[in-house]
Amino acid sequence: MPQTTPPAPAAPHPPLPGYYGAPIARVGFLRQLFDDTAPQYDRINRIFSLGTGGWYRRKALARAGLRPGQRVLDVAVGTGLVAREAVRLTGEPDAVLGLDPSGGMLAEARRHLPIPLIQGRAEALPLPAESIDFLSMGYALRHVADLDVAFAEFHRVLRPGGTVLLLEIGRPDGAFAHAAARTYLGRVVPALSRLTAPRAGTLMGYYWDTIEACVPAATILRHLSRQGFAEVRCETALGLFRAYTARRPGA
């Protein structure tokens, strides 16, 4: 019988060998990078988020339909910036579960949030099928290995009628907007972050390079649809901040 070649991973961006050499080293590079920068991450985020912060995250969660009584999974919870706003909206810390591959990030989240936290990756969620009402992911989609695998996992753990919200920063379309973003996010933010810690500068330089190389919004929406999601859409704020939403059909 003829051998079939497995499909190539649907990566959110091409490899960036300047950071981790061979593509196989990417996962380890990212885990170590986030472990090293976890204590400074909230301070870095205040620079990086252009002042949007908790207000934007809370508004995006509310617009996507998060409400009391729902069970929430925040994938790539980091230090808990999105999960904090989810707790405010649901009023139930035990109903918000945080997941992250970085032990350092989980340690920081435990300092700020009384929610259940588990270590794991978006591509292999350690949760039963149809156990979550609302799944969020804040500014980490560019770090998954395969969009199709991650979205299939999101679809699996969501109950019918459940919602996924993906917050991201996208490459601006216009030449002037792109140049401004490249200057601020690609040069100023890494330089300011480097004053906090050398690895923080590396993290924010990597952030911009993944934004610059990331697939367009239409590609992300197409992969969501391909994994069975309905009502897929993307809302953009300030030409930069993107909120992808989708629903698992069936309710």
Side-chain angles (χ1 to χ4, degrees):
M1 294 179 64
Q3 293 184 342
T4 58
T5 303
H13 60 78
L16 298 173
Y19 288 96
Y20 44 76
I24 195 172
R26 187 188 64 85
V27 172
F29 161 80
L30 281 173
R31 183 177 290 118
Q32 189 63 56
L33 185 62
F34 281 109
D35 283 348
D36 292 345
T37 57
Q40 295 87 33
Y41 189 80
D42 282 2
R43 193 180 312 161
I44 298 167
N45 182 76
R46 285 193 287 271
I47 301 171
F48 188 70
S49 63
L50 299 173
T52 58
W55 171 84
Y56 174 76
R57 290 186 287 270
R58 186 165 58 253
K59 181 180 178 182
L61 288 164
R63 284 173 64 88
L66 181 59
R67 60 186 184 276
Q70 292 184 321
R71 188 170 187 229
V72 182
L73 173 63
D74 187 39
V75 178
V77 65
T79 61
L81 296 174
V82 175
R84 292 176 207 177
E85 306 308 323
V87 170
R88 289 187 182 184
L89 289 171
T90 63
E92 301 176 63
D94 288 344
V96 180
L97 173 64
L99 176 139
D100 203 282
S102 164
M105 286 291 185
L106 291 173
E108 287 298 309
R110 287 189 185 97
R111 295 178 56 227
H112 304 292
L113 275 173
I115 67 171
L117 295 165
I118 54 176
Q119 192 164 13
R121 299 174 59 228
E123 297 91 341
L125 299 175
L127 294 173
E130 300 185 5
S131 59
I132 297 295
D133 299 301
F134 192 104
L135 186 148
S136 59
M137 188 180 203
Y139 309 108
L141 185 62
R142 287 167 285 113
H143 306 319
V144 305
D146 190 316
L147 294 173
D148 281 332
V149 173
F151 292 163
E153 278 291 273
F154 295 175
H155 190 278
R156 180 184 68 81
V157 301
L158 279 170
R159 295 185 177 115
T163 298
V164 60
L165 168 67
L166 309 172
L167 300 179
E168 261 304 338
I169 295 178
R171 187 182 187 275
D173 294 327
F176 176 79
H178 175 253
R182 181 176 56 194
T183 299
Y184 182 70
L185 300 178
R187 298 175 186 170
V188 175
V189 170
L192 292 175
S193 300
R194 201 166 287 113
L195 298 176
T196 303
R199 289 287 276 171
T202 301
L203 173 66
M204 301 322 286
Y206 180 77
Y207 256 44
W208 170 251
D209 288 342
T210 59
I211 291 168
E212 184 84 285
C214 190
V215 296
T219 300
I220 293 171
L221 294 174
R222 185 171 68 251
H223 284 289
L224 282 166
S225 296
R226 191 155 75 181
Q227 295 308 317
F229 284 99
E231 300 175 29
V232 298
R233 64 182 185 274
C234 175
E235 295 182 358
T236 301
L238 302 177
L240 193 66
F241 296 97
R242 293 177 180 166
Y244 299 91
T245 55
R247 185 178 64 84
R248 175 174 172 173

